[in-house]
Amino acid sequence: MGKLGVAVEPLLKGRLEEEKIKLYCLVSVNLVVIAVALHWLGPVMVPLILAFMLSYVLSPMVDGMVHRLRAPQEVAVVLALLMSVGLIAVFGFIMISSVKELVSDMEHYEKRLKTLGEQATKLLDRHGADLLTTQLELAELPLGAIAHQLRLLVSNAAGMLELLFLVLVFVVYLLLARRPGQGPRKGMAGRIEARIKNYLSVKMMLSVIVGATCALVLWMLDIHLSLLFGSVHFVLNFIPNVGAIIATLLPVPLLLISPNVGVMQILLAVVLPTTIHVIVGHGIEPKVMGDSLELHPITVMLCLIFWGMLWGIPGMLLAAPITAGFKIFFESLDVTRPLARLLGGNIEDLVGDDDLYELNKEKEQAGPDVERTTLAETGQSRPSCDSTHRWMED
């Protein structure tokens, strides 16, 4: 029997390696097909997922009006939608009016930039620099193209309204389909819903605080378009890690060419919002939210890139909750549970098949007592002899 086991071991190991390669290839092909399908279905999937997120935010409001105010469910849904549409309309009005104001002042910024260019040219002339190359580079600055893109952004408001209409239609059906006051769901769907609800509610509250505080700070510094930049801080705070950096640095180019903004104002306009994001993101948010998503920071960054490639900015906004849902789904299956641990950053808990095979082999040589102790510590079970015999018979 010992000689037979020695002869079977290389065959068994080769069979495991072959099955592993087949599994990896199959998973890779499926991932590519799923990514292409998600990109193609983006015009439908993005409004649907946004509607799910918005329904999670509005459902406590609907339940409160139904139970406390004794309002019919249809009336509560309509009132909640009117409140959300009103807030979105205010936000859209701030964005559109600020962009129009920025486009109208683009000539002043262009003149200011030319003045700064002339001053820089004189400074470089004193140090013997190539003035012709410098003047050509300054003349090629795409301010006209920037103004054109801003006008296109305002003119594309119809597409944003279409997206908003689809989201609201989905939200109406989602809110009417649920029973007011129903308890939390059980099982995997309940865990996904509870975790995403906790994340969205806390993130919404903290984003409002961050946006309002940053807008107030910029207004006190007499920064132009402070409401616009505060709204940008509110939106980009939903994008983990990267959003705060983009929102903080976005006003800097405009401040550098503003005629009435000094160096100290520019420094404070960067330092103070950064401090606000650090306090809220690394001080308040972990204590209030806890580890609701249970995702590693590197996982979050990779998911931002992946979902951003598929769906653009909406994909980056939805990257964290979508990935958290996939992690919970992976945790419910034995085959994908190592992938869930990998998304959570627990790389040291992953034990490959080769390591497990060598571990079991060493324990067989060391004796049954040591084998039982080590296997109990790793939480793994030794393959039975019956499975080996069945494989040999096949």
Side-chain angles (χ1 to χ4, degrees):
M1 185 66 185
K3 294 181 179 179
L4 180 61
V6 173
V8 168
E9 284 181 0
L11 297 176
L12 181 60
K13 189 174 181 180
R15 182 67 178 270
L16 290 176
E17 290 292 336
E18 182 181 353
E19 293 297 330
K20 185 193 297 184
I21 294 174
K22 291 181 180 179
L23 178 61
Y24 288 162
C25 294
L26 183 61
V27 170
S28 301
V29 173
N30 288 334
L31 288 177
V32 173
V33 173
I34 292 172
V36 173
L38 288 174
H39 179 71
W40 182 66
L41 295 173
V44 177
M45 294 297 296
V46 171
L48 182 60
I49 297 177
L50 286 174
F52 270 105
M53 303 301 175
L54 186 58
S55 65
Y56 289 156
V57 176
L58 295 180
S59 56
M61 188 185 307
V62 174
D63 293 342
M65 286 188 285
V66 170
H67 291 285
R68 296 182 181 180
L69 302 180
R70 304 296 180 182
Q73 183 180 2
E74 293 78 7
V75 176
V77 170
V78 171
L79 291 178
L81 286 178
L82 289 177
M83 293 178 62
S84 60
V85 169
L87 293 176
I88 295 173
V90 172
F91 178 77
F93 175 76
I94 293 174
M95 296 290 290
I96 293 175
S97 61
S98 300
V99 170
K100 287 183 177 180
E101 185 178 356
L102 182 61
V103 171
S104 62
D105 294 340
M106 189 59 66
E107 295 181 359
H108 300 286
Y109 292 123
E110 188 174 358
K111 293 179 181 179
R112 172 64 176 172
L113 187 59
K114 289 181 179 180
T115 303
L116 293 176
E118 293 175 357
Q119 296 177 357
T121 302
K122 294 179 181 179
L123 181 62
L124 292 174
D125 186 20
R126 298 174 184 174
H127 295 80
D130 189 0
L131 297 182
L132 181 60
T133 304
T134 305
Q135 291 174 356
L136 290 176
E137 291 177 352
L138 292 174
E140 293 177 356
L141 289 173
L143 290 179
I146 295 174
H148 179 66
Q149 293 296 326
L150 292 174
R151 294 189 186 96
L152 288 178
L153 180 62
V154 176
S155 63
N156 288 335
M160 295 166 38
L161 291 177
E162 180 182 357
L163 176 62
L164 177 61
F165 175 76
L166 289 176
V167 171
L168 293 179
V169 169
F170 287 138
V171 169
V172 169
Y173 285 106
L174 290 174
L175 292 178
L176 291 177
R178 62 184 302 275
R179 290 175 297 176
Q182 65 180 2
R185 297 181 182 179
K186 298 180 180 179
M188 179 182 63
R191 294 197 303 271
I192 294 176
E193 183 176 352
R195 195 170 294 181
I196 293 178
K197 276 186 176 180
N198 181 36
Y199 171 78
L200 289 177
S201 59
V202 175
K203 200 69 174 179
M204 177 70 71
M205 178 184 64
L206 295 179
S207 297
V208 170
I209 295 175
V210 168
T213 307
C214 291
L216 180 62
V217 167
L218 295 177
W219 177 76
M220 293 177 65
L221 292 175
D222 197 18
I223 301 299
H224 190 47
L225 304 176
S226 58
L227 284 179
L228 174 63
F229 294 132
S231 302
V232 171
H233 279 280
F234 165 74
V235 174
L236 295 183
N237 192 58
F238 285 93
I239 301 178
N241 304 327
V242 182
I245 299 174
I246 298 175
T248 303
L249 298 180
L250 193 61
V252 173
L254 187 63
L255 297 178
L256 291 175
I257 60 176
S258 297
N260 299 323
V261 177
V263 178
M264 185 58 65
Q265 287 177 289
I266 297 176
L267 292 177
L268 292 177
V270 174
V271 173
L272 294 181
T274 302
T275 305
I276 293 172
H277 280 284
V278 170
I279 293 175
V280 174
H282 298 278
I284 300 176
E285 185 171 319
K287 294 181 180 179
V288 177
M289 186 181 299
D291 200 6
S292 61
L293 294 183
E294 299 180 356
L295 296 175
H296 195 270
I298 296 179
T299 303
V300 175
M301 293 295 296
L302 294 177
C303 292
L304 286 176
I305 298 173
F306 175 75
W307 293 105
M309 290 174 59
L310 290 182
W311 294 338
I313 295 179
M316 298 180 70
L317 294 173
L318 300 172
I322 290 177
T323 308
F326 276 114
K327 181 176 180 293
I328 298 174
F329 174 74
F330 291 152
E331 289 174 348
S332 62
L333 301 176
D334 294 335
V335 179
T336 57
R337 191 167 292 127
L339 183 58
R341 292 199 295 266
L342 182 62
L343 292 177
N346 299 324
I347 304 177
E348 64 276 3
D349 293 340
L350 299 178
V351 180
D353 294 336
D354 294 339
D355 297 335
L356 181 59
Y357 179 83
E358 296 295 336
L359 180 63
N360 291 333
K361 184 177 178 181
E362 292 176 1
K363 299 319 163 219
E364 288 178 356
Q365 298 174 356
D369 296 334
V370 179
E371 179 182 1
R372 284 194 296 268
T373 303
T374 309
L375 291 178
E377 293 175 354
T378 58
Q380 304 289 341
S381 60
R382 178 185 176 185
S384 62
C385 295
D386 295 336
S387 61
T388 305
H389 288 308
R390 285 195 298 270
W391 176 82
M392 290 177 61
E393 293 175 358
D394 294 339

